[in-house]
Amino acid sequence: MTEPTIWQSATLQEAWRAYHAAYMAASAADPPRAAELRDADLVTLAQCTAHVETQHLLSLLPAALREALVQHPDFALSTVEEFFVHVGQDVEVRGDDWVVRLPPPSLDDLHQLLARVGRFGADGRGCVPGTAHRVSVWRGRRGESLGVTLRVGRYVPNAAKALLPLALQGSVLILSKAGKGKTTLLRDLSSSLAHEASMPRVTVVDTSNEIGGDGPLPMAFLGRCRRLQVARREDQGRSMIEVIQNHSPEFLVVDELANAEEADAAWSIAQRGVNLVGTCHGERLADLLQNRALNLLVGGAAHAFLSNEERRLRNKTKKTILERPHVSPFDFVVELHTRSKGHLYHDVNRAVDLLLDGQDASQNASVGCELRLSEALPEQVELTIKKGKSSTNPFASTALDEGEVATSFKSYTDRDGYTSFPGDDKRQRGNHAHSYSNRRGAGGGNKQKRKSDEQLYSELSELL
């Protein structure tokens, strides 16, 4: 601990204010001291805050349940992640590598807990006031509350240390199934971006209040971060565009991109020069490609028709192939495998093209690598990314043939109604739109014999 004023504060809120004031002063006049503050005071202060907030969550439980839990030999306050409390079912409390089961709660205990944890939105979610803990309600057919799931929210400094250089260079999408720590990474990235010496405008679109906590003021660890709270889950896509138009952020952080409207908003934001950091559910990049509502996040998937000559040049047997119609709005995609490890795709366009071509992109070292999230980004990876950015323009380069520069598509329609691509320029593929529009809602050009969406996605599923 290097700054006495932080630890002489009467409350945690005052301690955080003292930390931010000391850090801002040091970052301008004494960068080494600023680094010391982040390495020592920030980490310790975050641990103290997490301990106090988890204790507060524990205090909301009915007395009998709380006593039984703290006396259980497997329970660990520092690693607890989830509480499941439901009428007529055993209580389950989960940690990093342990599970505690206790007898079912009484109706009085459940009603007492529901009264303490606050209100729920139309999406069944809420937050414990003044914390980042999420509460989700279990409802019956008539809307009655039958139980709750409580997710412990913590700010963990350096949890996303490897991702910070990526977020500073471009847009980052974090992909994983539920419970792998996506929101924890967003908290650290939001705070870390706000710590930058250039003092960028960092805005968080906080739909469930899991990043910045429930209340008019964002959690103290966010520091300079600005936050937009979203009243209804279905308004998130509109709110993303509203932030760009009204508040001019340089970095926009969004949790859980979940539908086509939000994917369209992300695609639009990426064209406006804003670095976007977002998350969505899914285990692998290949899974995201099969998601009709969300695959635009990585450029989408559409069918294209090849002439006989083009099929010969590409060594294809089918007249219809799958291609990526758009440039990915995200420069980097991270698949979370565990809370501390993942796989980074640093050339998303090429990785998607490889997958659509039936190849395993995860085994291709030219498009991605394994990553330890809490460690510094390997120097070799940084050099690869910088080299790739300086040598290619993602809006003009082809992803299937490295080193070749794509030209505008030339096409014609044969007697059978198929759109063909002349074989004298085999580089015409990848990032440019075809002569007909693949974008949702756009008008068509020449009439073509097209497969239905069901046939297209069935073929995509077989391919991946």
Side-chain angles (χ1 to χ4, degrees):
M1 295 180 291
T2 61
E3 181 54 50
T5 58
I6 297 174
W7 307 103
Q8 293 169 1
S9 302
T11 66
L12 279 173
Q13 195 72 21
E14 292 179 6
W16 278 107
R17 282 198 292 268
Y19 164 77
H20 288 301
Y23 181 82
M24 292 300 294
S27 61
D30 190 356
R33 177 165 174 75
E36 288 181 5
L37 288 169
R38 290 195 65 175
D39 291 341
D41 295 273
L42 176 61
V43 172
T44 307
L45 187 55
Q47 291 172 344
C48 292
T49 303
H51 179 79
V52 170
E53 291 180 353
T54 309
Q55 285 278 21
H56 173 63
L57 180 61
L58 204 61
S59 72
L60 301 178
L61 299 177
L65 175 57
R66 182 171 62 250
E67 289 298 324
L69 184 60
V70 297
Q71 292 175 10
H72 198 284
D74 293 334
F75 176 73
L77 184 69
S78 60
T79 60
V80 63
E81 296 174 357
E82 180 183 276
F83 299 80
F84 169 74
V85 184
H86 194 286
V87 61
Q89 293 184 264
D90 285 348
V91 173
E92 285 190 7
V93 183
R94 294 179 177 270
D96 191 23
D97 55 359
W98 53 266
V99 178
V100 172
R101 301 188 67 186
L102 299 171
S106 66
L107 283 175
D108 288 341
D109 285 345
L110 181 59
H111 292 156
Q112 183 183 11
L113 176 58
L114 288 167
R116 289 178 173 178
V117 295
R119 300 186 300 271
F120 301 101
D123 60 354
R125 289 185 174 186
C127 274
V128 176
T131 75
H133 304 318
R134 188 182 82 191
V135 187
S136 302
V137 64
W138 295 89
R139 292 193 173 110
R141 291 184 62 188
R142 298 174 180 82
E144 71 276 21
S145 299
L146 302 176
V148 291
T149 299
L150 298 96
R151 293 281 305 174
V152 178
R154 297 183 179 92
Y155 166 51
V156 183
N158 299 318
K161 188 174 183 177
L163 305 186
L164 180 59
L166 305 179
L168 290 170
Q169 294 187 54
S171 294
V172 181
L173 179 65
I174 302 170
L175 180 69
S176 83
K177 60 183 181 181
K180 288 292 185 180
K182 296 186 297 295
T183 308
T184 301
L185 296 177
L186 290 190
R187 293 189 195 105
D188 183 40
L189 278 173
S190 302
S191 176
S192 297
L193 289 169
H195 272 83
E196 285 297 303
S198 60
M199 298 182 66
R201 294 185 295 274
V202 182
T203 301
V204 175
V205 177
D206 206 3
T207 303
S208 297
N209 286 349
E210 286 187 76
I211 299 176
D214 191 26
L217 298 177
M219 298 292 291
F221 63 79
L222 287 177
R224 295 179 43 259
C225 272
R226 306 167 186 185
R227 179 176 67 147
L228 178 70
Q229 298 185 68
V230 182
R232 301 185 307 164
R233 180 66 185 80
E234 55 267 31
D235 292 337
Q236 178 166 281
R238 178 186 58 79
S239 297
M240 291 165 62
I241 299 297
E242 177 186 311
V243 169
I244 301 299
Q245 293 173 338
N246 296 345
H247 304 293
S248 306
E250 296 170 71
F251 296 89
L252 186 67
V253 181
V254 187
D255 199 7
E256 288 192 25
L257 299 166
N259 55 48
E261 180 186 4
E262 292 163 14
D264 280 327
W267 196 90
S268 176
I269 289 168
Q271 317 311 314
R272 308 186 192 201
V274 178
N275 285 15
L276 181 62
V277 180
T279 69
C280 70
H281 284 150
E283 288 192 78
R284 300 178 301 144
L285 180 59
D287 298 332
L288 184 58
L289 273 175
Q290 296 183 66
N291 189 322
R292 303 185 190 194
L294 296 179
N295 62 18
L296 182 61
L297 292 174
V298 288
H303 59 279
F305 301 92
L306 303 178
S307 67
N308 292 335
E309 178 67 12
E310 185 70 9
R311 279 190 294 154
R312 183 184 67 79
L313 289 171
R314 297 193 185 193
N315 196 26
K316 301 292 183 182
T317 58
K318 295 182 179 179
K319 209 160 192 175
T320 302
I321 63 170
L322 289 167
E323 286 197 341
R324 170 178 51 81
H326 306 291
V327 173
S328 170
F330 288 95
D331 301 279
F332 310 102
V333 172
V334 179
E335 297 175 348
L336 294 187
H337 298 159
T338 68
R339 287 182 175 273
S340 60
K341 296 180 182 179
H343 188 90
L344 166 66
Y345 291 101
H346 50 72
D347 189 342
V348 179
N349 292 317
R350 179 166 168 76
V352 169
D353 292 337
L354 289 171
L355 288 168
L356 294 178
D357 199 40
Q359 302 179 48
D360 186 357
S362 66
Q363 301 300 316
N364 191 315
S366 68
V367 300
C369 62
E370 295 299 313
L371 201 62
R372 291 185 179 273
L373 301 172
S374 60
E375 299 178 3
L377 190 67
E379 183 178 352
Q380 187 60 40
V381 177
E382 283 202 72
L383 290 174
T384 300
I385 293 170
K386 289 178 180 178
K387 181 179 178 182
K389 281 186 170 291
S390 63
S391 63
T392 60
N393 177 356
F395 284 86
S397 66
T398 177
L400 283 176
D401 292 315
E402 278 189 310
E404 296 183 347
V405 179
T407 59
S408 58
F409 271 98
K410 299 176 182 178
S411 63
Y412 64 89
T413 304
D414 62 19
R415 290 180 302 176
D416 296 326
Y418 290 104
T419 299
S420 304
F421 302 94
D424 58 349
D425 190 353
K426 63 181 179 181
R427 298 174 300 179
Q428 301 181 49
R429 53 183 164 175
N431 293 337
H432 287 270
H434 306 315
S435 59
Y436 58 91
S437 175
N438 285 312
R439 185 75 187 271
R440 287 190 295 271
N446 296 327
K447 292 184 178 180
Q448 302 152 2
K449 295 181 180 180
R450 302 181 60 177
K451 294 186 178 181
S452 67
D453 286 344
E454 288 72 19
Q455 291 172 313
L456 171 63
Y457 281 93
S458 175
E459 183 177 335
L460 179 58
S461 298
E462 293 176 2
L463 185 63
L464 300 177

